[in-house]
């Protein structure tokens, strides 16, 4: 006779009442000082509440946001010097 696994898992201290499933890692994300990068990194908190299947979408979104923030840093701040203003 086979037994089904219970809905709880033991934590490292041996507590059988510990909840099974995903648990937030509690990774602290320090602000970078750049609004675009900070917004993208804040999005990482969303994976704490998603099953593993949902992580890829968040990671890709964060990657796009960080790439956009980095690209914006390379953009010239003012008008280009070769623009003809007549």
């Amino acid at each position: 006779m086979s037994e089904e696994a219970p809905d709880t898992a033991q934590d490292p201290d041996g507590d059988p009442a510990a909840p099974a499933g995903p648990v937030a890692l509690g990774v602290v994300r320090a602000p970078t000082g750049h609004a675009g990068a900070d917004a993208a990194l804040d999005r990482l908190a969303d994976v704490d509440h998603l099953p593993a299947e949902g992580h890829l979408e968040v990671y890709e979104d964060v990657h796009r946001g960080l790439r956009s923030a980095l690209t914006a840093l390379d953009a010239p701040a003012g008008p280009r010097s070769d623009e003809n203003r007549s």
Side-chain angles (χ1 to χ4, degrees):
M1 172 182 339
S2 72
E3 293 182 29
E4 290 186 16
D7 289 334
T8 59
Q10 285 192 345
D11 71 2
D13 297 326
D15 181 5
V23 177
L25 295 176
V27 175
V28 177
R29 288 172 292 280
T32 66
H34 186 277
D38 288 340
L41 293 174
D42 286 344
R43 173 97 162 91
L44 287 174
D46 292 345
V47 299
D48 287 345
H49 310 289
L50 294 173
E53 303 85 48
H55 291 192
L56 181 61
E57 181 181 344
V58 173
Y59 294 153
E60 287 176 342
D61 187 40
V62 170
H63 183 257
R64 279 189 298 273
L66 291 173
R67 175 172 273 178
S68 176
L70 288 172
T71 300
L73 291 174
D74 288 337
R80 295 183 355 198
S81 61
D82 62 341
E83 287 182 350
N84 184 3
R85 295 183 178 223
S86 20

